[in-house]
Amino acid sequence: MADKMKFKVLRRHEGDRMYEEGDTREGTQAELGHLVPKVLELLGPADRPLDPAKPAEPVKAEPAPLNKSEPAPANKAEPVPSTSKTHHPRNKRK
């Protein structure tokens, strides 16, 4: 039989019950392994107590930037003035 492991819930999901963000869930790697990268974080064996010096805090998103838009970039090249006409008007009336 596989050893039970402790996992920290990173995202709310429904398993045998509803698990909220920050909860601790126990199960085997075979049962919960498919949830590890996105939904759960492996903490260690279930029989080992959690480290009290390192409290489990939810990860917070960075604050929104004050100015979301960037200024428009300057043109890379200046427009070239036209020195000669390449288009001749036809049937010009005088």
Side-chain angles (χ1 to χ4, degrees):
M1 185 172 147
D3 293 333
K4 290 256 184 186
M5 304 292 279
K6 278 191 181 177
F7 297 89
K8 176 183 168 189
V9 178
L10 301 176
R11 194 177 79 194
R12 182 178 180 216
H13 68 280
E14 183 177 357
D16 54 335
R17 63 177 182 88
M18 280 304 294
Y19 289 94
E20 298 294 328
E21 188 174 326
D23 287 349
T24 303
R25 183 171 180 182
E26 288 187 15
T28 64
Q29 187 73 25
E31 293 171 339
L32 303 175
H34 65 286
L35 299 173
V36 170
K38 304 272 184 189
V39 181
L40 300 174
E41 176 185 353
L42 179 63
L43 295 176
D47 56 355
R48 185 184 68 151
L50 293 177
D51 186 7
K54 183 182 172 189
E57 294 182 11
V59 178
K60 295 184 180 181
E62 294 181 11
L66 298 176
N67 183 7
K68 291 183 180 180
S69 64
E70 294 180 6
N75 290 338
K76 291 184 179 180
E78 295 295 323
V80 178
S82 176
T83 56
S84 65
K85 292 186 177 182
T86 57
H87 182 108
H88 298 288
R90 294 186 183 172
N91 300 330
K92 186 176 179 184
R93 291 185 180 175
K94 291 185 180 182

